[in-house]
Amino acid sequence: MIPAMPATASASARRASVTALRFGRVAAMGTVAALILFAGVRGSWGNAQHVMLAKGREAGTVRVTQCAGDACTGPFTPTSEGSRARARVELTKSVAVRTGQTYDVVLKPGTSDAVRSGPAGILYAWVPLGGALLLASVVVAGGLRLTRAAWVLGLSGAVLLTSAFLAVQ
C-alpha cells in the first residue's frame, strides 16, 4: 500500500507539473516559430542580397522574348558602368513576368541569372519571409498564446505579400 501524501505536497507537485508542461510548450513552440522565421529569411536572402546590395553588380534591363518552363529569357541591356550587353540572360518566371515586357534587373555575379531590381524586386525577393510570418503567427497564437504578437506577425506578413503582389504587377 502506498502512503497518502499530505494535501499541500500533492498541490505543490501538481503546480510543478503544470509549470514544467507550460515551460515545455513555450520552449517547443518558441523554437518552432523561430525556425519558421529563420527559414523564411534564409529562403528570401538568396535573391534579396543581389537586389538590396546591388552596388558593384551588373544592372540593366531585360526584354523578355521567350518563356519556357520556369524561366524566361531575353537580351540584357546594361545601365550601370562596367556592365556589358548580353544576348541572353535568364529571369525566373513568375505570374508577373510576361513575354514582350521589359524589366529592371541585376545579374547574379558570374552567371547569366537575372533578378528583378527596384522596389518590385525587393518586395518579390522577400515573399518567402512574408509566408513565414503568416505561418509563424499561427504558431505564436496557438502554441505560445501571445495574440498581440501573433497579430503583428500575421499582419506584417499579409502587408508584405500584398505589397509584393501589387508591386510586381
Side-chain angles (χ1 to χ4, degrees), residues 14-29:
R14 227 173 304 146
R15 265 186 266 127
S17 297
V18 169
T19 301
L21 286 173
R22 186 176 296 133
F23 176 77
R25 177 182 50 85
V26 168
M29 291 298 109

Side-chain angles (χ1 to χ4, degrees), residues 107-141:
L107 297 181
K108 292 182 179 179
T111 69
S112 63
D113 294 338
V115 180
R116 287 189 65 176
S117 62
I122 291 171
L123 289 169
Y124 185 68
W126 288 106
V127 163
L129 177 62
L133 286 167
L134 286 174
L135 183 57
S137 72
V138 174
V139 173
V140 169

Side-chain angles (χ1 to χ4, degrees), residues 57-58 61-63 74-78 82-90 106-114:
R57 300 187 198 272
E58 293 184 75
T61 60
V62 171
R63 179 156 181 86
F76 174 74
T77 306
S83 299
R84 62 181 172 82
R86 297 181 187 191
R88 183 174 186 260
V89 296
E90 195 171 287
V106 174
L107 297 181
K108 292 182 179 179
T111 69
S112 63
D113 294 338

Side-chain angles (χ1 to χ4, degrees), residues 15-158:
R15 265 186 266 127
S17 297
V18 169
T19 301
L21 286 173
R22 186 176 296 133
F23 176 77
R25 177 182 50 85
V26 168
M29 291 298 109
T31 301
V32 169
L35 285 173
I36 290 169
L37 292 174
F38 176 76
V41 170
R42 184 178 168 118
S44 295
W45 188 245
N47 285 333
Q49 66 178 321
H50 301 295
V51 179
M52 295 176 68
L53 306 173
K55 187 174 182 180
R57 300 187 198 272
E58 293 184 75
T61 60
V62 171
R63 179 156 181 86
V64 176
T65 56
Q66 177 184 351
C67 290
D70 62 345
C72 293
T73 58
F76 174 74
T77 306
T79 57
S80 64
E81 288 198 29
S83 299
R84 62 181 172 82
R86 297 181 187 191
R88 183 174 186 260
V89 296
E90 195 171 287
L91 183 64
T92 303
K93 183 179 181 182
S94 72
V95 293
V97 176
R98 293 180 179 83
T99 303
Q101 297 291 321
T102 302
Y103 301 100
D104 292 329
V105 296
V106 174
L107 297 181
K108 292 182 179 179
T111 69
S112 63
D113 294 338
V115 180
R116 287 189 65 176
S117 62
I122 291 171
L123 289 169
Y124 185 68
W126 288 106
V127 163
L129 177 62
L133 286 167
L134 286 174
L135 183 57
S137 72
V138 174
V139 173
V140 169
L144 298 176
R145 297 187 178 130
L146 298 172
T147 54
R148 287 184 185 150
W151 274 105
V152 169
L153 289 172
L155 289 175
S156 298

